[in-house]
Amino acid sequence: MLVLSRKKNESIVINNEITIVVVEIRGDKVRLGVEAPKEVPVHRREIYDAIVRACEEDDTEAAQEESK
């Protein structure tokens, strides 16, 4: 894992097309802005994990239907 230190209004660039900007720092919370092409999905980790679980459940159900 790469760990970077950034201050408010500083940013990092990923793969020349995704920019992460530190928008605000308040106490123990950091607000980040993400600039990415529309075709690049951007999710909070807990939402991403829920999507993955839902896809796995759909795959499991489809496999069970096929085996009948």
Side-chain angles (χ1 to χ4, degrees), residues 16-68:
N16 296 324
E17 60 184 19
I18 300 169
T19 301
I20 310 294
V21 181
V22 177
V23 175
E24 181 180 17
I25 303 168
R26 187 184 302 169
D28 64 344
K29 290 192 177 187
V30 177
R31 293 184 68 210
L32 302 173
V34 179
E35 298 172 1
K38 290 181 181 182
E39 64 272 8
V40 176
V42 178
H43 303 287
R44 295 187 328 252
R45 182 59 190 229
E46 60 272 20
I47 300 300
Y48 173 79
D49 290 343
I51 293 168
V52 169
R53 280 193 307 273
C55 289
E56 289 171 350
E57 290 172 5
D58 288 347
D59 290 345
T60 301
E61 290 174 7
Q64 289 173 350
E65 288 296 319
E66 288 178 8
S67 66
K68 290 184 179 179

